[in-house]
Amino acid sequence: MARIRNRRKPVAEMNVVPYIDVMLVLLVIFMVTAPMLNQGVKVELPKVSSEVLPQDNDARVLTISIKADKSYYWNMGSEVDTETAQETAQKLDELVDAVSKIIAQTRSQGKRVQVFVRGDKSVDYGAVMALMGGLQEADVGNVGLITEAP
């Protein structure tokens, strides 16, 4: 009696199960390490002199200053003026409204506006960043930061 053998051909498919296991392990590693990447490190920034920003002679210059009590004052002119307080505001909302009007009026005259921010050294970083966000809402594209030499 002859036996009938059922011969199978070799399977040429790739086994992906080990690759899926490796992928899941990597996913878990990234899920665990991702929250740790958002933490900050305290640093003391060095006091150095900075380069002078190029100034466009055709543009109007809006200089905004933040006082230690988080009140704002600004001056609109043909050059950076940190001494004169042309207008003042006690809240960020008032400042954003005023800057929006200044930008719209100046652009309607066909002129460009350069905006510079000068903050008191005792004002916290959050107040300066809130001002930058407010300026972005007021459609200010570029902002220069004014520093003083050590």
Side-chain angles (χ1 to χ4, degrees), residues 3-149:
R3 285 179 138 176
I4 301 174
R5 288 188 184 178
N6 193 2
R7 292 191 180 192
R8 292 187 188 178
K9 291 184 180 180
V11 178
E13 294 177 5
M14 188 162 122
N15 187 2
V16 295
V17 173
Y19 297 114
I20 293 173
D21 292 342
V22 169
M23 183 185 64
L24 290 174
V25 168
L26 288 175
L27 179 66
V28 169
I29 289 172
F30 286 127
M31 286 172 56
V32 169
T33 59
M36 291 183 231
L37 297 177
N38 293 333
Q39 294 177 354
V41 177
K42 282 189 173 182
V43 294
E44 279 191 39
L45 297 176
K47 295 190 183 242
V48 296
S49 58
S50 57
E51 294 180 21
V52 177
L53 290 173
Q55 189 169 343
D56 186 359
N57 292 334
D58 295 333
R60 303 280 295 164
V61 176
L62 177 62
T63 308
I64 301 172
S65 299
I66 308 174
K67 292 183 179 181
D69 62 354
K70 295 184 184 178
S71 62
Y72 307 94
Y73 66 93
W74 64 91
N75 184 21
M76 184 75 169
S78 58
E79 61 185 26
V80 174
D81 186 2
T82 59
E83 302 301 321
T84 310
Q86 183 178 358
E87 297 283 338
T88 60
Q90 295 300 318
K91 295 182 182 177
L92 183 61
D93 307 358
E94 299 170 9
L95 175 73
V96 171
D97 291 339
V99 169
S100 296
K101 291 175 186 173
I102 290 170
I103 297 292
Q105 179 183 10
T106 308
R107 286 185 181 163
S108 69
Q109 297 171 354
K111 297 193 177 208
R112 290 185 305 271
V113 179
Q114 284 185 318
V115 179
F116 294 99
V117 173
R118 178 175 173 254
D120 191 285
K121 70 179 179 179
S122 63
V123 172
D124 63 349
Y125 184 71
V128 176
M129 292 313 296
L131 172 62
M132 301 287 270
L135 291 175
Q136 188 176 16
E137 289 177 17
D139 198 27
V140 174
N142 294 325
V143 178
L145 297 176
I146 297 175
T147 60
E148 294 180 1

